[in-house]
Amino acid sequence: MEQKPAKYMWYLWGENLSRKPFKVIGINTDTKQEVVIFNDKVLGSELNDADAHTPSTMEFPTAGIWNLDAYVGEELFGNIVVELNKFTLLALTSALVKCRADNTAHF
């Protein structure tokens, strides 16, 4: 069965985030494979009590533990770690990802 991209909404808190570039770089912790998970998006304005937001579609090439680095512009804004097995890789639905300016993220 082929993996299908999953939709996610990213919520960010901090000052002056709206209209800035946003990207997510993923690194598989076992293989050290690095891929751009999400790019070419500009953050939107306030939504649901967050200072900025953006919808995304993310696709991972393999199962495993992935370290996701979220960048606003060229600056690391936050980091989350997700574990994907063959079932979650195929059946990811949607989730909320909340990043704060203090580099903490909630998934």
Side-chain angles (χ1 to χ4, degrees):
M1 183 180 283
E2 187 175 314
Q3 179 207 1
K4 296 181 181 177
K7 294 181 181 179
Y8 297 84
M9 180 67 78
W10 291 80
Y11 293 101
L12 293 88
W13 286 263
E15 295 181 12
N16 303 315
L17 297 172
S18 186
R19 298 186 180 261
K20 290 192 176 177
F22 181 72
K23 69 180 174 184
V24 177
I25 306 290
I27 301 170
N28 184 301
T29 60
D30 292 327
T31 66
K32 306 303 181 212
Q33 178 184 14
E34 184 174 319
V35 295
V36 176
I37 300 293
F38 180 72
N39 197 8
D40 295 328
K41 193 73 170 184
V42 175
L43 290 170
S45 60
E46 297 176 1
L47 182 68
N48 295 333
D49 295 325
D51 296 319
H53 78 285
T54 190
S56 71
T57 302
M58 296 193 300
E59 188 171 0
F60 297 86
T62 61
I65 298 173
W66 285 85
N67 182 37
L68 303 181
D69 292 332
Y71 290 85
V72 175
E74 295 300 316
E75 185 175 331
L76 179 63
F77 187 80
N79 172 281
I80 60 173
V81 176
V82 295
E83 182 175 3
L84 305 172
N85 62 37
K86 65 181 178 180
F87 300 108
T88 57
L89 186 61
L90 296 173
L92 279 174
T93 55
S94 62
L96 302 178
V97 182
K98 300 178 178 181
C99 294
R100 299 186 186 276
D102 62 2
N103 283 342
T104 61
H106 308 277
F107 186 69

